[in-house]
Amino acid sequence: MDRRTFLELSGATPLALAAADSLPKYRVVSAYQPVENPGMPGPYPGQVISVHSPRSIDPQTEKVDAATVREMISRGMRELTAVKSDADAWRRFFTPSDVVGIKVNCSGAPGTMSLPEVVAEITRNLVAIGIKATQIYIFERFLGQMQRVGYDRFVPQGVEIHAAETSRGSISNYDTKTYVEVDFFGEEDTRSNMTRLITERLTKIINVPNMKDHGAAGVTGCLKNIAYGSFSNVARSHRNEKTNTLTFIGTLAAVEPLRSRTVLNIMDGLRGVWHGGPFSRSKKFRFYPQTMMFGTDPWPWTACCSTSSMANASRKAL
């Protein structure tokens, strides 16, 4: 992706892009009903709290300052909920009986990922309000990607590190009764199933995406992380020069119980990648917004999750 394409995608609107192509025919199958107040858009629709600190990460060494991350998360959560204490802020979303999943993004690890210091601080706050470590799951689709990060070295003993696929193509951890069926390009397998962890175990989900570009989806953020990271067989939505990620991402994210149980989005914007993502191996394509964002509604900041910050950073990088 060149610089001009990146910036054009950053400013593109979904309606304008959708008009350029016919919409695929989706069939959503789920026995789960939405709760009265689903997690998306949640109690703070259209609201995003942005917290920036130049001390959060050193662009030269990429070392994260855990104390600064703690301050940023504290401030972001308190400002989002308009309360004075960290505990009260987290209690707005969670109770000690909840089983909480933390949806990380490890697809670009070790270059770009949901940083372990951020995930560790989220976990610490959950434990602080009475949620047992054994009721917390850090999850992603692929085991190998998670192993490269090593979250287990940062979180309390008992926190489960869960991968839907322990080997490429394994499907036993996906729910055969909860899926989206669509034929994009005449592919043989037209079904994408939601992971069993979400349908059978979790009661609440925290979405922790990071800032990066993607060759098919453009600038990615909250919706793509929670959508593509929670279903099987999603790479088929983009092939060669044509992509259906525009409508597929939102369709997946709206499937129950994923929509109702995703109650909080915490964007890890300490480090990002503006080109070659998510698998960019070169540090020259990384940038350092040193920012975190908090909200319950992923729609205003999905593909444009801090788009202006990414565009500005890409210009500086060039």
Side-chain angles (χ1 to χ4, degrees), residues 162-181:
H162 178 89
E165 298 184 32
T166 54
S167 61
R168 288 282 181 173
S170 59
I171 60 173
S172 61
N173 286 327
Y174 291 103
D175 189 338
T176 58
K177 297 180 179 180
T178 308
Y179 58 87
V180 174
E181 187 145 27

Side-chain angles (χ1 to χ4, degrees), residues 58-272:
D58 185 331
Q60 301 304 316
T61 65
E62 296 193 326
K63 180 177 175 57
V64 176
D65 187 283
T68 301
V69 167
R70 175 173 294 190
E71 293 174 5
M72 295 173 76
I73 290 180
S74 172
R75 178 181 167 189
M77 288 296 292
R78 287 184 288 109
E79 289 192 11
L80 176 66
T81 56
V83 298
K84 294 183 178 180
S85 75
D86 293 343
D88 285 343
W90 288 89
R91 289 191 186 109
R92 288 290 179 93
F93 302 98
F94 308 101
T95 68
S97 63
D98 277 319
V99 179
V100 182
I102 303 174
K103 173 59 185 73
V104 294
N105 191 305
C106 303
S107 62
T112 303
M113 57 190 174
S114 305
L115 291 168
E117 293 86 354
V118 173
V119 175
E121 181 58 18
I122 293 171
T123 303
R124 188 192 68 80
N125 279 282
L126 294 174
V127 172
I129 61 169
I131 299 174
K132 296 178 181 178
T134 53
Q135 294 168 213
I136 301 172
Y137 290 75
I138 300 170
F139 72 101
E140 176 64 297
R141 285 186 63 199
F142 302 117
L143 178 62
Q145 294 176 353
M146 298 192 77
Q147 289 175 332
R148 286 200 291 270
V149 181
Y151 290 112
D152 57 301
R153 301 194 303 269
F154 293 80
V155 298
Q157 185 175 2
V159 173
E160 182 79 17
I161 310 298
H162 178 89
E165 298 184 32
T166 54
S167 61
R168 288 282 181 173
S170 59
I171 60 173
S172 61
N173 286 327
Y174 291 103
D175 189 338
T176 58
K177 297 180 179 180
T178 308
Y179 58 87
V180 174
E181 187 145 27
V182 57
D183 184 343
F184 288 119
F185 306 111
E187 63 268 27
E188 181 178 4
D189 188 353
T190 59
R191 188 170 293 182
S192 294
N193 298 78
M194 190 180 295
T195 176
R196 290 183 186 275
L197 178 68
I198 295 172
T199 60
E200 299 178 1
R201 181 67 176 139
L202 303 181
T203 63
K204 301 282 179 64
I205 299 171
I206 304 172
N207 184 25
V208 188
N210 43 66
M211 294 184 186
K212 66 181 186 302
D213 85 300
H214 185 277
V219 182
T220 72
C222 294
L223 278 184
K224 188 169 185 297
N225 186 54
I226 199 63
Y228 274 39
S230 301
F231 285 83
S232 66
N233 193 30
V234 293
R236 65 192 174 92
S237 65
H238 45 80
R239 189 179 69 181
N240 300 327
E241 76 283 354
K242 184 176 179 180
T243 175
N244 289 112
T245 56
L246 176 69
T247 54
F248 196 36
I249 292 172
T251 300
L252 294 175
V255 177
E256 295 293 348
L258 182 63
R259 181 184 178 185
S260 287
R261 296 179 184 175
T262 305
V263 299
L264 181 63
N265 298 280
I266 300 179
M267 165 65 74
D268 176 357
L270 303 189
R271 180 175 71 193

Side-chain angles (χ1 to χ4, degrees), residues 5-12 219 303-304 307-308 310-311:
T5 302
F6 177 86
L7 296 177
E8 288 175 349
L9 283 172
S10 298
V219 182
C304 58
T307 294
S308 60
M310 296 185 75

Side-chain angles (χ1 to χ4, degrees), residues 8-56:
E8 288 175 349
L9 283 172
S10 298
T13 64
L15 290 177
L17 291 173
D21 202 0
S22 59
L23 297 178
K25 292 180 173 60
Y26 296 104
R27 185 169 76 95
V28 177
V29 176
S30 174
Y32 297 89
Q33 298 300 313
V35 298
E36 184 177 354
N37 298 301
M40 297 187 281
Y44 307 100
Q47 182 176 346
V48 179
I49 301 299
S50 179
V51 180
H52 170 80
S53 175
R55 303 189 310 275
S56 60

